[in-house]
Amino acid sequence: MPRTRSVVLAAGAALLVRRAVRRRIATSPLWPLPALETPVSGQGGRRVPSLRLAVAERAVPAEGVALLRLESPAGTPLPEWRPGAHLDLVLPSGLVRQYSLCGDPADRATYTVATRLIEDGRGGSREVHEHLREGAELVVRGPRNRFPLAEAPSYAFVAGGIGITPVLPMLRAVEAAGTEWRLLYGGRSRATMPFLDEIEKLGGERVTVVAEDEAGLPDAAAFLAEAGEGAAVYCCGPEPLMDAVAAALPEGRTLHLERFTPGASTAQLGTFDVELRRTGRTLTVPAGRSVLATVRDELPNVSYSCEQGFCGTCQQRVLEGEIDHQDELLTDAERQDSMLICVSRCLGRKLVLDL
């Protein structure tokens, strides 16, 4: 009997140990290392709310452009937003893409977004054009606003093609407020420029339309030369247009840019090392490859989503090293000790991540 009792007790103890181990592994994929803290941006306290919305209407406001009006299937009011805000659309394939809200902020029943088909893009715009029809449902995150309309005595807006989408609600807002404004709007042709009729009706002579097939490229320098002292300059469009606006900005004017692709890195794009402190491995990040892709070779469960530096899902804490921040999301305080590993790199030879 004593021997039998000893066997039973040992078996019970072993069962308790196995359960404890399972619980420890569940709380830390890298067990027996400590569980990682939850990142601040993409998965922590600043988590962006998600909604399941349906396509209530699909339209074509210009050649190659699809407009979607999204509503709650339950008919509940949608979260408020201000001009310059955007949504993250989680497409049926799982791709996440950002689109500016271009409707009326006072309309709590629908969100309106528009996207141009990019033939040689990464597939997001094609999926929107080919698969999102009336009645389709999808998850959206937001709205978020990193391109807010600041108070100013006057405004000069510059938009190129689909870059008009965040600008359009701003035009309506400053017009309603009676504030002085002007717009330079360029595109390949008038037929490819969405919302053109509404904008020309709204602004009249304050709107300068430059269709490339008629008049070539817009002259940003000549347009900005007429911007009044203290004017806020807002620009969204292709990178060459935004570069031209930045280069021609007169003194005493403030520039606000909106882009949905990562900016060019000012750091050396060569090889550097990334030490994963908790994992105990040091990896080499080659030129032309992201930190995220390199880290996922070792830790395939590391979270990510947009891969463009906008959503914050891949934010990781940096213990050592100088960061070349290339994201469009983190605050100055967050940049002190964290980075978005999908786009940001290293200014030196080594980074140490809390992974």
Side-chain angles (χ1 to χ4, degrees):
M1 287 295 292
R3 183 174 182 180
T4 301
R5 185 180 297 113
S6 298
V7 171
V8 171
L9 291 175
L15 178 61
L16 291 175
V17 169
R18 284 197 297 271
R19 289 177 177 174
V21 169
R22 290 195 188 102
R23 286 195 298 270
R24 190 67 185 90
I25 292 174
T27 59
S28 177
L30 300 179
W31 185 86
L33 298 176
L36 298 180
E37 297 181 28
T38 303
V40 175
S41 280
Q43 303 175 33
R46 203 171 68 177
R47 180 185 288 275
V48 180
S50 296
L51 302 168
R52 178 166 287 279
L53 302 182
V55 179
E57 179 186 354
R58 187 181 187 279
V60 181
E63 289 181 7
V65 177
L67 179 145
L68 304 178
R69 298 195 196 280
L70 308 173
E71 65 180 8
S72 167
T76 55
L78 300 177
E80 295 179 352
W81 61 280
R82 296 179 180 276
H86 72 273
L87 292 177
D88 297 344
L89 269 61
V90 183
L91 303 178
S93 67
L95 291 175
V96 180
R97 294 294 182 265
Q98 293 74 34
Y99 297 109
S100 296
L101 287 161
C102 54
D104 181 0
D107 179 8
R108 299 289 301 282
T110 63
Y111 287 149
T112 302
V113 297
T115 178
R116 182 178 300 283
L117 177 62
I118 308 299
E119 294 287 354
D120 57 348
R122 299 192 303 150
S125 66
R126 180 169 296 282
E127 187 170 355
V128 171
H129 278 250
E130 295 181 355
H131 298 292
L132 293 187
R133 305 292 177 178
E134 292 183 12
E137 292 191 4
L138 72 161
V139 172
V140 305
R141 299 172 186 157
R144 291 185 289 166
N145 199 336
R146 63 167 183 270
F147 193 45
L149 183 63
E151 290 189 12
S154 62
Y155 297 88
F157 298 99
V158 182
I162 199 63
I164 193 64
T165 51
V167 170
L168 181 56
M170 296 181 180
L171 300 180
R172 299 185 187 121
V174 296
E175 176 66 13
T179 308
E180 179 184 345
W181 65 273
R182 297 169 59 247
L183 168 68
L184 175 62
Y185 184 15
R188 294 195 303 271
S189 67
R190 294 181 70 90
T192 65
M193 300 168 70
F195 314 114
L196 186 56
D197 289 344
E198 176 186 352
I199 289 169
E200 290 186 315
K201 183 177 180 180
L202 180 69
E205 294 182 353
R206 292 172 294 177
V207 176
T208 301
V209 177
V210 180
E212 189 174 342
D213 63 345
E214 299 174 3
L217 298 175
D219 189 342
F223 174 77
L224 293 176
E226 299 182 16
E229 181 73 24
V233 179
Y234 279 80
C235 178
C236 184
E239 290 291 333
L241 175 63
M242 292 193 289
D243 291 343
V245 169
L249 185 72
E251 291 186 9
R253 285 73 173 169
T254 57
L255 178 61
H256 307 263
L257 299 175
E258 171 80 320
R259 53 167 55 94
F260 283 107
T261 56
S265 174
T266 57
Q268 53 93 7
L269 295 177
T271 299
F272 59 94
D273 290 335
V274 171
E275 178 186 337
L276 308 182
R277 177 63 53 86
R278 302 193 188 207
T279 308
R281 291 289 306 277
T282 297
L283 312 176
T284 298
V285 181
R289 196 161 195 249
S290 69
V291 176
L292 172 65
T294 304
V295 169
R296 280 177 57 82
D297 287 343
E298 179 70 22
L299 302 176
N301 292 327
V302 168
S303 298
Y304 71 101
S305 183
C306 74
E307 297 185 84
Q308 298 183 75
F310 300 126
C311 72
T313 304
C314 69
Q315 182 182 358
Q316 298 296 337
R317 197 175 309 279
V318 179
L319 302 178
E320 297 176 22
E322 190 174 1
I323 309 164
D324 173 33
H325 289 287
Q326 294 299 314
D327 66 274
E328 299 287 341
L329 178 71
L330 299 184
T331 65
D332 288 342
E334 289 173 317
R335 291 183 178 211
Q336 296 300 313
D337 63 356
S338 66
M339 66 185 287
L340 300 190
I341 61 173
C342 66
V343 292
S344 296
R345 298 182 69 81
C346 179
L347 285 169
R349 296 184 176 182
K350 183 178 181 179
L351 290 173
V352 180
L353 301 183
D354 191 20
L355 272 172

